[in-house]
Amino acid sequence: MSVRRVLTLLTTIVGVLALASPAVAAADPVWRPGTPPLTTPWTHLVGPDNALPEYPRPQLARQRWQNLNGVWEFAGAAAGEAPPFGRPLAERVLVPYPIESALSGIQRREDRMWYRRTFLVPRQWRVGRDARLRLNFGAVDYDAVVWVNGRQVTTHRGGYDSFSVDVTDALTPTGPQELIVGVTDLTDATWQPIGKQRNVPDRGIFYTSSSGIWQTVWLEPVAPANITALDQTPDVAGAALGLTVRTSGDTAGLTVEAIAFDGSRAVGRVTGAPGARLRVPVPDAKLWSPDSPFLYDLRVRLLRGGRVVDEVGSYFGMRAIGTARGADGRLRMTLNGRILFHMSTLDQGFWPDGIHTAPTDEALRFDLEQHKVLGFNTVRKHIKVEPDRWYYHADRLGLLVWQDMPAMRLSDQPPPPDARAQFERELRTMVDKHSGFPSIVVWVPFNEGWGEWDRAETGRIADEVKAADPSRLVDAHSGVNCCLSKGDSGRGDILDHHQYVGPASPVPTATRVSADGEHGGLGLEVDGHMWFGEGHAYEMAPDPATLTRRYVENQRDVLTTAQRCGISAAVYTQITDVEHEVNGFFTYDRQVRKLDFDQVRAVNEAIIRSADGSGGGPAPGPGTPGADGIAYYPFSEGAGTVTADAVGDHDATLTGGASWTEGHPGPGIQFNGSTSTVDTGAGILDTAGNYTVAAWVKLDSLGGFATAVSRDGPANSAFFLQYSGADNRFAFSFTGVRALAPAAPETGRWYHLVGVRDVAAGSLTLYVDGQPAGAANACDGDPGTGNTVIGRAKFAGNPVDFWRGAIDQVHLFDRALPAAEVAALYASGR
């Protein structure tokens, strides 16, 4: 029987079991849903008798089971409170919806809580005679303690992973069995991994928390020796599925049998010992891909002689994720040996009615289906882990998944050692428990600087994830350029930058592909469909037509960046609005499409089709030879308001109180830090090609940003030769990318700064006093559309970062100076 037929049968069986073995509650089970600020198309379909009735674990499916979702008793709890054994609780909660959600019927926060219900064990399961009874939880956020008939049977820490316990020895011989679950969830009051959850949503990028039981709870009878997990790794080159069958109980004398099916036809069979690494033959494999997501069914049995002791149904996909160089020589991601661009959205997995829990399985599938409708082939599951059925739907639909580890809270203080250890335990568990889903192709341990404590430790963790699962790529740090990041560890398979509205343009290295891990964030408010009645985005549009136009323009920039810079992936923010964020393709309630989906699909498919590794764009020319460049401002006049350069025809104007001072050597220009600039009156540099910018600089004070030389763009400077107040370092920068000096500068001292842009290498290099001081990986910056300016920058359309001190001897070159010429320029004193 195929796994699809098994799952269909299981859905029917649960209804039969519910009739045969109804739950017995200690009080009148009245549940009343709350009223969410927004309702989805599925909100009204949820009720006490149909709370997520589907079998919850498709990759380890059993035919006999009992769903415990439905109405439970509930009460808030105090720290240290005794469990309410034999005592009915006053409120009713609908499991498995988190208590903050309207669908739970509670719709409020509690740090501590009790759940209580009773259940009957079907006689035909022969529990205690031929079978053991396992109690399974999909996920409980965060600390859980479980009692059956007053006996503590297990504890669990972790809000995103499943756990299971044998409760056989706690059962009474007959009658109702009392089940109590105590939960503590302090969310961002602790260092626990929480992703985007906050006790108090911030009307920004953090959302309502999800406490308590938020995934399916179920019972199933198992043999005393039984199968607990299947470790599956497709080996496309070897035409086989690597399989390890994990078991519990006494398996002495037992044999594992695994058979792979294409429909009803067996294509491969293997037998071996439990716990041994087996290879299931898959000859002439049908490969899994977004265009053809073929899945094989898998039947696994434990046998004693010819007798079946235990049996589970599963499935797998044959696919290989890797890297290879394109025709342009740059490293790119491959699927099944062919370069494939990952066109993705950021998917937060939040719902206005169920918060972390989708109201129905149809709703859970809907967001993934819409990715395909919109022409995406990838989804980045953003700092949340979903129920197993979400990955099952991704497997069936053919969506590549980048799986984030839920982050600890964002803080300028490092997490304590015990929190770091717990984070790593939960990361290892996430990788281990999701390793069988063919859709998952990338693990992402860290997002930006959220919860990160040390750059070297980030690298170590990435190495350990790779060692645990070498069949997938590891993105050690998505958004390594952003937001309290400790910097690039150099580890993992992917160099990942974030840039809004972007796209980001990191260049592949010799050993790592590059990716735009987040960009976009284009927003539109839709009256009557907003969580707070208003919203925000990185760039707002007034109407759907404008939003669609800007999306298409932004995605065309993605294609240019993919061709010129070699990025392998781009992640657009985001599939739906979430609370205050209104930058989705859908409103948060999934009721309104905000863009023209046909245009979205067309440009997305064009990116996937054309970002094929062939490259694009001509190589930059050799530039103008000579030691002075194409423009040189020695500031040697020492008086007046206009200075003429010694090379080109570009005169410069002193404005905003810029004045003459003692320079290096001779006269220089003094800047007041608030209004002073020297405007060259022209763009001078072609910032799409190679260039070099040099200046002698002196700072009067440290603190905020101060820019010595820049060129204006439409919204931001095309480049910044600057002092970065965020880092207390000199820097040569693009928006979101900085080549940083290793040490803080001193005030009142002259320094020689040189910024070199090399298009072919995709690099920014900073020199300080003739020596290489820092480098960064970047392809395209913001376009230079305005004048080259000395003494300030431009950001978000406004003049910013005015220089505080003196500047002298400014050189502009239309080529990337090699290190020897930079050293000679410094030695010349010019």
Side-chain angles (χ1 to χ4, degrees):
M1 182 182 294
S2 76
V3 70
R4 297 169 184 82
R5 291 178 63 194
V6 167
L7 291 170
T8 301
L9 176 60
L10 289 171
T11 302
T12 303
I13 289 172
V14 70
V16 173
L17 287 175
L19 292 173
S21 306
V24 179
D28 185 24
V30 176
W31 163 81
R32 295 179 178 85
T35 302
L38 297 171
T39 58
T40 70
W42 306 275
T43 305
H44 71 284
L45 300 176
V46 177
D49 299 324
N50 67 343
L52 299 182
E54 296 80 13
Y55 188 79
R57 196 181 55 203
Q59 283 209 319
L60 192 73
R62 286 193 167 91
Q63 294 192 35
R64 295 194 299 173
W65 71 296
Q66 185 179 35
N67 197 332
L68 296 186
N69 292 348
V71 176
W72 291 41
E73 298 172 14
F74 180 85
E81 184 175 291
F85 300 138
R87 174 167 54 86
L89 305 179
E91 296 181 272
R92 296 295 176 268
V93 62
L94 188 63
V95 170
Y97 301 98
I99 63 167
E100 293 88 342
S101 71
L103 290 178
S104 74
I106 304 300
Q107 207 171 6
R108 70 172 186 272
R109 253 211 69 75
E110 292 279 0
D111 287 346
R112 297 170 179 86
M113 64 210 79
W114 297 116
Y115 290 82
R116 180 180 182 273
R117 66 159 293 162
T118 58
F119 62 88
L120 293 176
V121 181
R123 290 182 179 179
Q124 61 269 32
W125 286 2
R126 297 179 62 83
V127 170
R129 291 171 287 176
D130 302 330
R132 308 289 294 179
L133 185 67
R134 295 203 71 84
L135 172 64
N136 304 287
F137 293 84
V140 179
D141 200 356
Y142 176 69
D143 280 300
V145 186
V146 183
W147 294 266
V148 173
N149 297 322
R151 177 173 175 175
Q152 182 176 311
V153 293
T154 194
T155 64
H156 182 264
R157 168 165 287 186
Y160 295 91
D161 57 289
S162 61
F163 61 100
S164 177
V165 58
D166 185 331
V167 299
T168 309
D169 295 338
L171 299 175
T172 59
T174 60
Q177 314 289 333
E178 182 187 51
L179 171 60
I180 290 177
V181 182
V183 182
T184 299
D185 183 21
L186 305 182
T187 313
D188 55 326
T190 76
W191 284 101
Q192 67 194 53
I194 51 172
K196 287 290 192 84
Q197 299 181 73
R198 294 297 183 269
N199 282 333
V200 180
D202 69 346
R203 286 182 175 252
I205 64 169
F206 299 112
Y207 321 130
T208 303
S209 57
S210 288
S211 301
I213 300 171
W214 69 278
Q215 291 186 29
T216 291
V217 185
W218 78 102
L219 298 166
E220 58 187 355
V222 298
N226 59 85
I227 299 166
T228 59
L230 304 177
D231 295 337
Q232 306 178 43
T233 305
D235 179 3
V236 171
L241 174 74
L243 176 67
T244 301
V245 180
R246 295 192 226 171
T247 58
S248 69
D250 182 6
T251 59
L254 298 186
T255 301
V256 166
E257 175 194 68
I259 305 176
F261 293 89
D262 177 349
S264 60
R265 181 174 64 90
V267 297
R269 180 191 304 262
V270 70
T271 59
R277 193 61 174 172
L278 308 176
R279 291 178 60 81
V280 184
V282 189
D284 301 317
K286 298 178 180 178
L287 300 185
W288 184 97
S289 73
D291 291 334
S292 179
F294 184 82
L295 297 174
Y296 290 91
D297 294 317
L298 183 67
R299 186 181 72 197
V300 181
R301 291 172 168 173
L302 272 180
L303 302 174
R304 187 182 302 278
R307 184 174 65 86
V308 177
V309 174
D310 192 22
E311 179 177 344
V312 296
S314 188
Y315 67 89
F316 64 93
M318 293 294 289
R319 60 102 187 93
I321 184 74
T323 64
R325 298 196 181 279
D328 61 358
R330 285 178 166 151
L331 200 64
R332 286 179 167 82
M333 287 191 291
T334 60
L335 180 68
N336 301 327
R338 301 181 62 180
I339 289 172
L340 178 67
F341 191 86
H342 292 203
M343 190 66 255
S344 178
T345 75
L346 198 71
D347 187 332
Q348 316 268 12
F350 277 72
W351 298 82
D353 45 14
I355 314 297
H356 256 186
T357 306
T360 68
D361 192 64
E362 180 186 359
L364 188 71
R365 187 174 64 248
F366 174 83
D367 282 4
L368 294 171
E369 290 173 334
Q370 296 310 303
H371 280 79
K372 301 291 283 191
V373 170
L374 287 160
F376 291 97
N377 62 7
T378 306
V379 53
R380 179 182 169 200
K381 177 44 61 178
H382 191 38
I383 50 179
K384 181 195 176 191
V385 182
E386 292 285 3
D388 283 359
R389 290 192 65 84
W390 187 90
Y391 303 96
Y392 169 66
H393 293 314
D395 292 342
R396 293 187 65 187
L397 290 166
L399 279 167
L400 304 169
V401 174
W402 290 31
Q403 179 60 54
D404 289 11
M405 172 63 194
M408 293 181 282
R409 71 188 188 199
L410 184 64
S411 174
D412 57 1
Q413 298 297 316
D418 60 335
R420 302 174 197 176
Q422 180 64 24
F423 174 86
E424 291 192 51
R425 280 193 291 270
E426 293 188 35
L427 171 62
R428 288 192 296 269
T429 298
M430 180 188 77
V431 171
D432 177 61
K433 292 197 172 185
H434 294 82
S435 61
F437 296 107
S439 56
I440 298 177
V441 294
V442 175
W443 300 116
V444 186
F446 287 97
N447 177 73
E448 297 174 354
W450 299 17
E452 187 189 20
W453 58 92
D454 181 85
R455 179 171 59 188
E457 286 286 274
T458 297
R460 173 188 62 80
I461 289 168
D463 288 347
E464 290 179 0
V465 171
K466 186 70 174 183
D469 184 6
S471 71
R472 291 178 171 88
L473 302 183
V474 176
D475 183 353
H477 197 158
S478 184
V480 70
N481 63 318
C482 184
C483 315
L484 298 182
S485 166
K486 303 300 183 184
D488 183 13
S489 68
R491 311 306 299 163
D493 302 295
I494 302 172
L495 174 64
D496 179 330
H497 285 186
H498 295 175
Q499 186 173 332
Y500 289 98
V501 292
S505 54
V507 175
T509 69
T511 58
R512 293 187 295 170
V513 301
S514 67
D516 159 31
E518 291 180 29
H519 79 281
L522 306 172
L524 174 68
E525 294 183 327
V526 179
D527 289 343
H529 297 272
M530 289 180 286
W531 183 255
F532 290 113
E534 42 80 26
H536 83 280
Y538 292 94
E539 177 184 308
M540 295 297 292
D543 52 60
T546 303
L547 182 63
T548 300
R549 175 179 60 79
R550 284 294 295 122
Y551 178 81
V552 171
E553 292 170 350
N554 190 249
Q555 292 299 88
R556 286 173 178 163
D557 290 342
V558 168
L559 179 55
T560 299
T561 302
Q563 292 172 328
R564 290 185 53 185
C565 306
I567 61 171
S568 282
V571 181
Y572 181 82
T573 303
Q574 59 189 320
I575 183 64
T576 74
D577 296 352
V578 184
E579 296 197 1
H580 200 252
E581 294 187 65
V582 292
N583 46 17
F585 292 100
F586 285 88
T587 52
Y588 190 24
D589 54 14
R590 279 73 167 176
Q591 302 275 9
V592 178
R593 293 184 174 192
K594 297 168 67 175
L595 293 84
D596 181 330
F597 277 27
D598 289 339
Q599 292 188 55
V600 170
R601 181 182 181 90
V603 72
N604 288 346
E605 289 181 340
I607 293 169
I608 295 169
R609 183 172 60 250
S610 302
D612 58 359
S614 59
T624 304
D628 286 329
I630 58 173
Y632 170 38
Y633 296 92
F635 298 133
S636 58
E637 292 82 357
T641 57
V642 176
T643 182
D645 68 281
V647 180
D649 297 325
H650 310 296
D651 288 343
T653 303
L654 279 65
T655 65
S659 59
W660 295 97
T661 189
E662 182 180 351
H664 186 283
I669 304 296
Q670 178 70 33
F671 297 83
N672 63 16
S674 59
T675 58
S676 302
T677 62
V678 174
D679 192 332
T680 68
I684 304 179
L685 293 172
D686 175 11
T687 54
N690 289 339
Y691 58 90
T692 300
V693 184
W696 284 91
V697 303
K698 181 174 67 172
L699 280 165
D700 292 341
S701 66
L702 306 179
F705 283 82
T707 296
V709 186
S710 67
R711 184 184 175 190
D712 286 346
N716 306 317
S717 293
F719 66 86
F720 309 76
L721 187 64
Q722 65 181 178
Y723 164 76
S724 168
D727 307 284
N728 194 25
R729 304 282 192 273
F730 286 127
F732 184 44
S733 311
F734 287 171
T735 303
V737 181
R738 298 178 196 138
L740 286 167
E746 301 174 8
T747 58
R749 173 186 163 186
W750 284 99
Y751 292 89
H752 189 242
L753 301 186
V754 179
V756 178
R757 168 61 172 155
D758 188 321
V759 171
S763 64
L764 302 178
T765 305
L766 173 70
Y767 293 81
V768 178
D769 291 346
Q771 297 299 312
N777 195 275
C779 180
D780 286 344
D782 289 306
T785 57
N787 294 348
T788 297
V789 183
I790 301 166
R792 70 155 175 84
K794 184 179 181 182
F795 188 79
N798 301 308
V800 295
D801 305 340
F802 288 86
W803 190 260
R804 305 178 300 276
I807 299 176
D808 199 7
Q809 306 282 351
V810 176
H811 288 79
L812 305 173
F813 300 83
D814 63 349
R815 58 194 178 92
L817 260 62
E821 288 194 51
V822 173
L825 182 62
Y826 166 69
S828 74
R830 300 181 61 197

